[in-house]
Amino acid sequence: MSQSCPELRFDRDAPRMEDKTKSELIDELVALRQRVASLEKLEIQYQQSEQALRGSEERFLLLLENVKDYAIFFLDPEGTIIRWGAGAEEILGYQEAEILGKSGSIIFTPEDIERGDDRKERIKALTEGRAENERWHVRKDGRRFWGSGIVTALRDESGQLQGLTKIMRDLTSRKLAEDERAQFLASEQEARAQAESANRMKDEFLATLSHELRSPLNAMLGWTSLLRTRKFDAATTARAIETIERNARAQAQLIEDLLDVSRIIRGQLRLKVRSTELLPVIESAIDTVRPAADAKSIQLQSLIDPTVGSVLGDPDRLQQVVWNLLTNAIKFTPKGGSVQVCLQHNNSQVEIIVSDTGQGIKADFLPYVFDRFRQADNSVSRSYSGLGLGLAIVRHLVELHGGAVRVESPGEAQGSTFIVSLPLMAVRLPVSDAENLPSAGGEVPFSCGTGLNGLRILVVDDDADTREILVRILETCGAEVMAVSSAPEAIAALEELKPDVLVSDIGLPQQDGYALIRSVRLLETEQGKIPAVALTAYARGEDREAALSAGFQSHLAKPVEPSELVAVVISVARRNRNI
């Protein structure tokens, strides 16, 4: 492009050429040549700039058409797409022909558009010259990707806005990896928090267990020491014995609860299911807890619907459910309060409702009432004893019966209500002889009768104190008792003394009770058929099965009620027709 020479103007008043000196004319000619040279130089610079601009535009077009890792496109100041690169086609899925003239908002997610994020990004680029972000975007096919983008305002040399350019990169893989790491970290933190919580609960439980086991021991050891060193009147002696017995039973109950929870955790708690009337179950549980209620002047009421039918269940375990709920209600009800038991129909369900006027349950603790090892107050200064296992056992036993248990409480000092729902039996089954036996649990009065008179019994136990009390119980009821401490001694006694019944521990030194009974059953003499009772602290269901499979006729768990021991010995002896 050529530059036109400036127009030469002649001033009428200017001196005419013929009036100028030769020197002046030469100066003007030199100045004119300098101006022409300057114009020629400008012409060359313009041509070079135009050539450089064309080269730059060509290189940019090559970049726009060949870069596939970045989406590069242009928008006008209003946000309409006016240029679309090959990388944009690759990443976003739109061909240039179908995207030109569309709003740049087309690649934003609906939720970002609803928040106005597309408009905010454009305004920031226009006002500040640049906007950066990382967010989810939408491809043509609707799939989302995580894009990192920069929007830049384009202005010419004079500062006039020409439009916007946007450069984006697909970082979905990196985003997913980061999210996965974040999720893993969150899971790890949650697992760590749960482990720390479990450790705290374990420590609190062990501290509580230590307290609950040591407290009864304190009373028991204290009274036994006093009884050994001093003489008391009959009333004080009776109170001492009663205290020792009560605390021993408390310890036994703690151990039973622990064993039940262990069975529950391992899925080994089994029910002896049969047709069960709930009225005697509830009455038996009420009789068991009545002394505790009377001691606190708590009014114990029962509202029983006599028309309620049978359920299919384990009467001993159902009695344990009711006993646990009643014991819990009495424990948390102050003196002079009341506890009520209700048995009623509810469509095809039967409901056992235990309500009290006790301290109630805080709303924030209600969801955790039936959790193992959870107590509303785990502090050293707590007012109530216990391990926090009873209600967890209740829930599991009820669920094993196909039922459900729930709790309601208006709040602190407003009492609590526990509702157990059990399915009614569709058909009433005939009552077997086994159902007429008294259910286990609670205190059984010690009555010998005459069933053991003249019966020879061999007791095998490695603990001297246990041997002594077993001998005393059985001899008190008329039996002739021999006691030994090991399996070899038992085999020798069988052959020499020929007892009528064998009562043996399982945990014996050198040779355990299972090996002993197998050896006995291999004897070719009449003593190989002797009826045998396993009396052991191994009290799990699988322990009972192992004892019966080994050759025992019956299995009793320590500690055993004297009446129960006598009854079982009489039963196995009668089966062998020895009495």
Side-chain angles (χ1 to χ4, degrees), residues 237-457:
T237 302
R239 188 167 72 253
I241 294 173
E242 180 185 349
T243 301
I244 294 171
E245 182 181 8
R246 182 174 65 251
N247 283 278
R249 292 185 184 281
Q251 278 201 331
Q253 186 59 51
L254 289 176
I255 294 169
E256 279 301 315
D257 286 348
L258 288 170
L259 289 174
D260 277 345
V261 168
S262 176
R263 296 183 190 109
I264 289 169
I265 292 174
R266 290 180 287 113
Q268 294 179 341
L269 195 149
R270 300 288 184 265
L271 300 180
K272 299 176 182 178
V273 177
R274 55 183 180 266
S275 175
T276 303
E277 296 284 347
L278 289 176
L279 179 58
V281 168
I282 293 174
E283 288 177 341
S284 180
I286 290 175
D287 290 341
T288 302
V289 302
R290 191 176 296 280
D294 292 342
K296 294 178 67 175
S297 301
I298 291 175
Q299 187 178 4
L300 195 56
Q301 302 172 324
S302 60
L303 297 175
I304 307 296
D305 181 355
T307 64
V308 171
S310 301
V311 298
L312 195 61
D314 184 329
D316 290 339
R317 290 300 187 178
L318 289 174
Q319 182 176 322
Q320 183 180 0
V321 167
V322 180
W323 178 86
N324 264 318
L325 293 177
L326 286 173
T327 301
N328 199 64
I330 292 169
K331 178 195 296 186
F332 293 104
T333 299
K335 290 184 178 182
S338 65
V339 173
Q340 185 180 83
V341 187
C342 179
L343 177 64
Q344 64 184 28
H345 280 289
N346 187 359
N347 298 323
S348 61
Q349 302 278 318
V350 58
E351 289 184 341
I352 304 170
I353 303 171
V354 178
S355 56
D356 62 68
T357 59
Q359 70 173 35
I361 303 170
K362 295 179 182 178
D364 59 352
F365 188 71
L366 273 175
Y368 308 106
V369 164
F370 296 103
D371 288 358
R372 290 191 298 269
F373 312 130
R374 291 293 290 266
Q375 298 188 71
D377 182 8
N378 281 320
S379 65
V380 175
S381 59
R382 65 197 183 118
S383 304
Y384 302 96
S385 61
L387 297 178
L389 299 177
L391 292 179
I393 294 171
V394 164
R395 180 178 66 175
H396 190 78
L397 290 176
V398 170
E399 289 175 351
L400 281 181
H401 283 84
V405 60
R406 66 184 190 275
V407 60
E408 298 173 357
S409 178
E412 288 188 273
Q414 300 185 61
S416 305
T417 301
F418 289 83
I419 302 101
V420 174
S421 299
L422 298 168
L424 279 167
M425 283 182 56
V427 179
R428 188 181 296 267
L429 297 178
V431 179
S432 67
D433 294 339
E435 294 173 339
N436 293 321
L437 293 173
S439 23
E443 296 184 22
V444 180
F446 182 30
S447 175
C448 290
T450 59
L452 296 184
N453 287 343
L455 202 66
R456 294 190 304 275
I457 301 173

Side-chain angles (χ1 to χ4, degrees), residues 3-27:
Q3 294 283 347
S4 58
C5 294
E7 182 181 357
L8 298 177
R9 297 182 180 179
F10 297 94
D11 189 348
R12 296 185 179 205
D13 297 327
R16 291 177 297 175
M17 187 172 295
E18 57 269 21
D19 295 334
K20 294 182 179 179
T21 65
K22 182 178 179 180
S23 175
E24 291 174 336
L25 290 173
I26 291 173
D27 290 341

Side-chain angles (χ1 to χ4, degrees), residues 54 75 226 387 392 399 425 454 577:
R54 283 197 299 269
L75 307 98
L226 290 174
L387 297 178
E399 289 175 351
M425 283 182 56
R577 298 181 181 177

